Amino acid sequence: MQPDKSFNPGIQTRAIHHGKSYADNTGTVMPPIFPSSTFTHGNPEGFDYTRSGNPNFRILEDVLASLEECKYSTVFASGVSAITAIASSLQSGDLILCEENLYGCTVRLFEQVFSKFKLQTKWIDFSNTNSLALIDGLNPSMIWLESPTNPLLKIIDIKRICDKASENQIPVVVDNTFSTALLQKPLDLGATLSLTSTTKYINGHSDALGGAVCTQDVYWKDRMDFAQKALGLQPSPFDCWLITRGIKTLPLRLSKQVDNALALANELGKHPSVEWVRYPFKLDHPQYELAKKQMASGGAIITIRLKADQKRTYTFCKNLRYFNMAESLGGVESLICHPATMTHASLSTETKKKLGIDESLVRLSVGCEDFADLEKDLNQQLSQLL
Ligand SMILES: *Cc1c(COP(=O)(O)O)cnc(C)c1O
């Protein structure tokens, strides 16, 4: 049943109860999967060909817009497809002013693909106060942010940058994958576009790829829908169905993951094999106050620096029982990643150094397992480093 807006349903209710199932006369409780590539001309819902729309896309777009509390959402085949859709809306010669610590594949896409079409990028530290002056000075066509950043969990003051950008009518994109709309709402902070890789927390089960762009602006919704069909960036109906199903437990999953992460972040710092722990809602985070203001909770990613060289750091990662050494994040299962040789391997030594990514750094994506088991697993292997 469609949630009654006047009832003002909460987030968990909205995650479970969708709008239309597009199969009204069947009594189906779960929406069906519509694998059809094509639709009969003149059907009442206006579907024609799946590259430009499908019932499973619309069901997912509706629930994502409801979580984000915004008007529009467009779904894509992956987070990278969503990034491609936004970048493709710009013109040759346009400048994107980027946070210097963006997701690695965003950097690769801008520097190795869109640069060939003369899309220009400039990389700056948006946590630095003089970044506001650079917005005036450079007058970019777009600003691209990510907060918290990966893997060092730097927090960027989204509202302050959006306020400045809006003076010059510069659209701001926020990659919100690490937080999701449950922990941080970029559009409420003034962003034009809120981008998410639904592969991560939104789906939550590491079994589908997807991306989405949310906006309040019909102009941008039209551009995203155009990019979906014109560039062939559409997802598969089956993946949309899986992600829609995953969302039903998103609030539950995330709340358990955040509880586990906060408790682990506070615990890990006490171990003598740990040099430091970085977590947005940990008191010693350099931007703790801003994190508290901007986010509903600190999320479920923790970055730690071990007192160990690369070989021993690797052994630590490999010997954990419940933290699988793998890229990606946000699933119900805990993962550990060595950014210097995995997610950030393609960066130059110099860039890694500048960003603070070294051989002793590990990133934890905390899952939904029992806290005691995760704690015991980490403590056992940390003690092996002594
Ligand atoms: C994973 C990720 C992406 C890319 O998403 P895919 O679904 O893997 O294409 C973009 N941004 C961030 C922050 C991510 O973690």
Side-chain angles (χ1 to χ4, degrees), residues 247-307:
I247 289 174
K248 288 174 189 281
T249 55
L250 172 65
L252 276 171
R253 284 187 276 112
L254 202 54
S255 127
K256 173 74 174 167
Q257 286 172 279
V258 168
D259 288 350
N260 276 348
L262 178 62
L264 277 179
N266 287 323
E267 193 58 37
L268 285 170
K270 297 178 191 152
H271 199 285
S273 299
V274 174
E275 191 170 315
W276 49 252
V277 177
R278 184 64 54 83
Y279 180 72
F281 272 35
K282 189 168 179 289
L283 265 167
D284 64 357
H285 188 290
Q287 295 147 303
Y288 173 78
E289 293 299 332
L290 175 58
K292 281 268 181 181
K293 195 174 89 181
Q294 188 163 277
M295 301 171 73
S297 78
I301 304 290
I302 306 172
T303 297
I304 57 178
R305 189 165 195 277
L306 301 174
K307 290 179 191 159

Side-chain angles (χ1 to χ4, degrees), residues 295-363:
M295 301 171 73
S297 78
I301 304 290
I302 306 172
T303 297
I304 57 178
R305 189 165 195 277
L306 301 174
K307 290 179 191 159
D309 61 10
Q310 176 161 325
K311 187 156 168 279
R312 301 187 74 221
T313 302
Y314 249 76
T315 309
F316 168 79
C317 294
K318 294 272 187 202
N319 286 347
L320 290 164
R321 180 185 297 262
Y322 297 119
F323 288 82
N324 208 324
M325 191 175 180
E327 301 206 6
S328 199
L329 56 110
V332 289
E333 66 290 330
S334 293
L335 299 177
I336 190 161
C337 151
H338 185 251
T341 58
M342 294 168 68
T343 48
H344 294 69
S346 63
L347 299 183
S348 68
T349 316
E350 194 186 308
T351 310
K352 277 188 232 180
K353 199 164 172 200
K354 189 170 162 215
L355 299 177
I357 300 167
D358 66 29
E359 58 175 22
S360 309
L361 205 71
V362 294
R363 185 191 78 191

Side-chain angles (χ1 to χ4, degrees), residues 77-81 83 103 105-106 146 150 175 177-178 195 197-200 209-211 329:
S78 66
V80 167
S81 304
I83 297 165
Y103 177 68
C105 298
T106 310
E146 200 173 307
N150 177 20
D175 184 333
T177 303
F178 270 41
L195 179 155
S197 164
T198 54
T199 311
K200 315 289 170 55
L209 276 91
L329 56 110

Side-chain angles (χ1 to χ4, degrees), residues 63-331:
V63 69
L64 288 170
S66 160
L67 296 183
E68 197 97 20
E69 296 181 79
C70 72
K71 288 189 187 143
Y72 310 108
S73 169
T74 302
V75 291
F76 297 98
S78 66
V80 167
S81 304
I83 297 165
T84 303
I86 298 173
S88 75
S89 70
L90 296 171
Q91 310 283 326
S92 166
D94 282 354
L95 171 70
I96 313 182
L97 191 57
C98 299
E99 156 55 32
E100 64 179 6
N101 203 345
L102 290 185
Y103 177 68
C105 298
T106 310
V107 179
R108 182 174 63 191
L109 191 59
F110 290 169
E111 294 207 321
Q112 296 187 38
V113 181
F114 283 103
S115 64
K116 293 192 291 187
F117 304 97
K118 304 279 185 290
L119 200 60
Q120 302 183 54
T121 41
K122 193 163 170 59
W123 307 89
I124 67 168
D125 175 3
F126 270 105
S127 66
N128 191 323
T129 39
N130 66 20
S131 60
L132 293 183
L134 285 171
I135 296 175
D136 276 332
L138 294 164
N139 199 25
S141 304
M142 182 173 271
I143 292 174
W144 203 291
L145 308 175
E146 200 173 307
S147 181
T149 63
N150 177 20
L152 283 157
L153 307 175
K154 178 173 81 173
I155 309 292
I156 289 161
D157 191 336
I158 297 172
K159 183 168 186 312
R160 209 171 54 135
I161 292 160
C162 290
D163 285 350
K164 183 77 208 167
S166 76
E167 287 171 18
N168 305 354
Q169 269 122 47
I170 302 164
V172 179
V173 180
V174 175
D175 184 333
N176 203 35
T177 303
F178 270 41
S179 302
T180 79
L182 273 65
L183 307 190
Q184 174 170 285
K185 289 219 170 55
L187 302 178
D188 290 356
L189 298 168
T192 319
L193 302 171
S194 171
L195 179 155
T196 315
S197 164
T198 54
T199 311
K200 315 289 170 55
Y201 290 101
I202 301 277
N203 181 48
H205 294 78
S206 307
D207 54 9
L209 276 91
V213 177
C214 287
T215 184
Q216 301 283 24
D217 187 338
V218 69
Y219 168 81
W220 280 100
K221 167 63 176 164
D222 288 345
R223 284 183 153 196
M224 292 302 99
D225 285 352
F226 176 79
Q228 186 193 55
K229 67 179 171 196
L231 280 85
L233 300 172
Q234 78 292 338
S236 86
F238 178 57
D239 284 347
C240 289
W241 183 87
L242 277 176
I243 295 165
T244 304
R245 183 174 71 153
I247 289 174
K248 288 174 189 281
T249 55
L250 172 65
L252 276 171
R253 284 187 276 112
L254 202 54
S255 127
K256 173 74 174 167
Q257 286 172 279
V258 168
D259 288 350
N260 276 348
L262 178 62
L264 277 179
N266 287 323
E267 193 58 37
L268 285 170
K270 297 178 191 152
H271 199 285
S273 299
V274 174
E275 191 170 315
W276 49 252
V277 177
R278 184 64 54 83
Y279 180 72
F281 272 35
K282 189 168 179 289
L283 265 167
D284 64 357
H285 188 290
Q287 295 147 303
Y288 173 78
E289 293 299 332
L290 175 58
K292 281 268 181 181
K293 195 174 89 181
Q294 188 163 277
M295 301 171 73
S297 78
I301 304 290
I302 306 172
T303 297
I304 57 178
R305 189 165 195 277
L306 301 174
K307 290 179 191 159
D309 61 10
Q310 176 161 325
K311 187 156 168 279
R312 301 187 74 221
T313 302
Y314 249 76
T315 309
F316 168 79
C317 294
K318 294 272 187 202
N319 286 347
L320 290 164
R321 180 185 297 262
Y322 297 119
F323 288 82
N324 208 324
M325 191 175 180
E327 301 206 6
S328 199
L329 56 110

